[in-house]
Amino acid sequence: MTVRGCGVTNLPAPLADWFAAKAWTPRRHQLEMLAASRAGRSALLVAPTGSGKTMAGFLPSLVDLVENPREGLHTLYVSPLKALAVDVRRNLLTPIEDMGLDIAVETRTGDTPSDRKARQRVRPPQILLTTPESLSLLLSYPDSAALFAGLRTIIIDEVHAFATGKRGDLLALSMARLGTLAPELRRVALSATVADPDAYRGWLSGDGDYESVELVHGDSGAPPRIDIVIPQGRIPWAGHSGRYAAEQVMAEIETHRTTIVFCNTRSLAELIFQDLWKVNAMSLPIGIHHGSLSKEARRKVEEAMASGRLRALVATASLDLGVDWGDVDLVIQMGAPKGASRLLQRIGRANHRLDEPSEAVLVPGNRFEYLEGRAALDAIEAGELDNEPFRPGSIDVLAQHVMAVACAGPFRAEELLAEINRAAPYATLTAEQFDRVLNYIANGGYALKAYEKFRRLTRTADGAWRLSHPSYAVQHRLNAGIIVEAPMLDVRFKNGRSLGKVEEGFGTSLAPGDCFFFMGLALEVLKIDLTDLVVRATSKPARIPTYGGARMPISTHLAERVRHFLHEPAEWARFPADVREWLEMQARRSRLPAPDELLVETFSREKRHYMVLYSFEGWNAHQSLGMLLTRRMESQGLVPMGFVASDYALACWSVEPVVDPASLFSAEILEEEFVEWVEGSALLKRAFREVAVIGGLVERQHPGKKKSGRQVTFSTDLIYDVLRRYEPDHLLLDAAWADARAKMTDVGRLSGLIERAAERIVHVPLERVSPLAVPVLVLIGRETVAQGVADDVLLIEAEALAAEAMREG
């Protein structure tokens, strides 16, 4: 169904006059979103960056508040990023003030002061901008029913960024709750990069009925202009950061108004920031922004960008969604993009206008990354985006939500289950599964029920469930959240001023007197304790903090395109000469795999026997397979010495040669050995730590006291060991297994890889290293080094290895 017939003359006078004063005409999709609202329908808007998606989302709310003025919360806007909520508020306030409308707009995130949060619950603005976690916390208060009773619209921005993950699960549950408190609530979602709109419409509807959600498409914008940096005509053999191009990146910054330099990791952002300053001959103002900086530092940089005081900003994913700084005219991507959708989002930050092309530059770290970058450009040109599939909702998230509902007041199990079933990820949740969740919250499970601290729910005489004690509500609000980062240490000056956080593993590797770079500053360590790293500024030589975080594997879609490149020499004419030479020599010396083949090369070098396979299934899947293959090699007496993985290939080396690679692959490697390996590794413990924190089993904070990362890890490891021994089918162990399979091992892609090996494995024995093997072999001994730190060494080693690989004869 398409709702039409809403023209500019249908706008209230203040809005019509504002458009006229700007000499603007509302875009078709903006008016269609207004028409859908007047018809009482929820809607998904898929429109390119710069097309006015934000105004399209808010226009119905502004119209309704002009035509029907009222106090109280009218519209809730949910974004995946704090920075985006702040940016939207800034951009929304301007037209509201221009029109002279009496409409209050406020943000509520983890950065919002507590006194303002308390006031918002009593006297809320008409429009509140928040995040999934802050919305869930709002719903945990007893006054939430009154707060949300008059809510008319919820707007979910950049819905593709989190709908398919745990934050999407939490938001879906919160929307189901809001649907109970405000039955007339309309749901609106916005995105520029949705590959499967019907799947998102089904998620948005809550009951899977995608036809109940209006689909509105925006007009196509000007195609982006994207270049790939080719330094002195050569693409490096190795490296992941693109640091070799610092001078070229600085030259681009010098010739543009404002540039955002995107990096895939926080460590790389710190490195690139330092590299750019070293070649910043004009002393242009450059900032840095990532999630480990303090909120004061982030806000300061965001305000500087918004006011045009910076010429460049080095950033991570903390800024790649929706933030609209009108003066940005160039985006630079350092390293491989990992997905066409992610690259398109980042490119859209430049020339944030529909009728002007966004300008971007890719800086590949090595030759495989060049192919990946070219694949991403082709996908964008063809309008093909990465499709992240939906999956059943996570049980640890459900447990957190049920606890939030209990904090708001007593509930009846059957009523809450019916409500939860109206959240798309939990539509098939059964009464039996729900009872397991309730019993877990009520007593911690069989192995933990003797402990008072786990008895959070009590059954009343009339069959309802309530909190066992009000203190559990305080604990829930202190600890609730979906994002569980690695254990961190606060970085602060002696006077108490906070700079942000570094990972505990890095912080505890330091000693007083050591120096490191952070937030663009060289810092010297004065003192380290359980939660703090006390520092002072210094001019001494420094190193870069490392952040583990989640690796972004190459998307399945881009991997397929790279396989196609390898098998189609007709494509090579578009590549730089050295990339063509690389592929041509590989074809002569060995083989280039067909898209459905698994190429395995074996060769000897320096008294080691190597096996390299090229599957392009991403680092997680290759890392998992490396562990499994070396175990099998051990059982076959091959004496494996190690392995190294990239997004594109896996290399194993051993004392004895692999003569028959096919014997290492079979179905039971996943059915039996995978389970044995995961259970014996630290993977399951790491996954359990996350679900235990999300599910409320282990607390990160107590009133006035915060646990260190080591304390949290010790607590989760202790409980993990108890449950593995006494209750191996515990709810959270099941949830940890699901996470380990899906995220840490990428078992879906691993399964496809093994299946392909069983059917189309091609073994090529060689006398020496092949050209295709060079980028992965140079990682040996460097895989535990912070990304980018060892690039100079890698380049030297790669050239020597490449000379051997490219030699004729």
Side-chain angles (χ1 to χ4, degrees), residues 7-8 52 64 96 103-104 130 264 402 420 448-449 481 544 556 562 775 778:
V8 69
D64 191 32
I96 287 176
I103 298 175
T130 189
N264 290 341
V402 172
I420 288 168
L448 303 174
K449 63 182 180 181
I544 301 294
T556 302
V562 172
V778 296

Side-chain angles (χ1 to χ4, degrees), residues 436-457 472 688 691-693 695-699 714-733:
R436 286 189 72 198
V437 175
L438 284 179
N439 289 331
Y440 153 68
I441 302 173
N443 58 36
Y446 170 79
L448 303 174
K449 63 182 180 181
Y451 298 90
E452 186 70 31
K453 65 175 292 186
F454 299 119
R455 299 176 187 171
R456 294 176 287 169
L457 291 185
Y472 288 114
F688 181 78
V691 301
V693 170
L697 193 64
V698 173
E699 295 155 341
F714 177 78
S715 299
T716 54
D717 286 355
L718 186 63
I719 295 174
Y720 171 83
D721 291 337
V722 169
L723 295 182
R724 283 289 308 278
R725 183 173 181 180
Y726 297 107
E727 195 178 356
D729 61 347
H730 189 277
L731 183 82
L732 292 190
L733 283 179

Side-chain angles (χ1 to χ4, degrees), residues 97-117:
E97 291 171 356
D98 288 348
M99 293 180 230
L101 302 179
D102 185 18
I103 298 175
V105 181
E106 296 181 6
T107 59
R108 184 187 182 95
T109 70
D111 292 345
T112 304
S114 57
D115 58 339
R116 188 182 307 163
K117 288 181 178 179

Side-chain angles (χ1 to χ4, degrees), residues 227 259 263 424 511 649 737 794:
D227 293 322
T259 301
C263 303
W737 249 112
L794 284 176

Side-chain angles (χ1 to χ4, degrees), residues 237 605 769 774 778 794-807:
W237 283 92
R605 187 174 189 271
V769 61
V774 173
V778 296
L794 284 176
L795 291 174
I796 295 171
E797 294 180 355
E799 290 301 328
L801 193 61
E804 177 183 341
M806 298 292 287
R807 188 178 72 242

